[in-house]
Amino acid sequence: MSKETLFALSLFPYLGFLWFLTRSGQMPRLALIGFYMTLVFVGVTIPAGIYAQVGYEESLANVDWLHGGAEVFLTLSNILIVLGFRQAVIQKKASL
């Protein structure tokens, strides 16, 4: 199985994960937005990888400005997840 096929197939369990998180209603809103933001990262990374391959004949990892630009979205999603859980912990401590 190619890495591209595995990557595409991995989206289905992640979409299921998001569906269950959303339906549970127990996920901090900001963290949930962060998890959805990971899909934005994927959506940006795919065309960036194609552009790196076509425009530079290199993999995305070897074109620093494209790779860094795509990674910004992953960093942003991670920050949102952490801030969402931080906020939930602070609210829980305040309610005790």
Side-chain angles (χ1 to χ4, degrees):
M1 180 180 300
S2 72
K3 65 180 179 179
E4 292 81 12
T5 302
L6 186 60
F7 177 74
L9 290 175
S10 72
L11 288 176
F12 292 107
Y14 192 74
L15 291 172
F17 166 75
L18 288 177
W19 184 79
F20 281 111
L21 278 183
T22 304
R23 289 199 25 107
S24 76
Q26 297 180 0
M27 178 63 59
R29 181 161 171 73
L30 196 56
L32 186 61
I33 291 169
F35 282 117
Y36 274 97
M37 191 70 182
T38 304
L39 290 177
V40 174
F41 161 70
V42 171
V44 168
T45 301
I46 293 170
I50 293 169
Y51 182 73
Q53 192 67 47
V54 172
Y56 292 94
E57 296 179 359
E58 291 280 351
S59 71
L60 178 59
N62 294 331
V63 183
D64 288 340
W65 73 272
L66 276 174
H67 187 236
E71 289 292 326
V72 164
F73 291 95
L74 182 59
T75 301
L76 180 59
S77 69
N78 288 336
I79 289 169
L80 291 173
I81 292 167
V82 168
L83 289 176
F85 282 118
R86 179 181 178 271
Q87 183 181 31
V89 168
I90 290 170
Q91 288 175 349
K92 183 68 173 177
K93 283 183 178 180
S95 70
L96 294 178

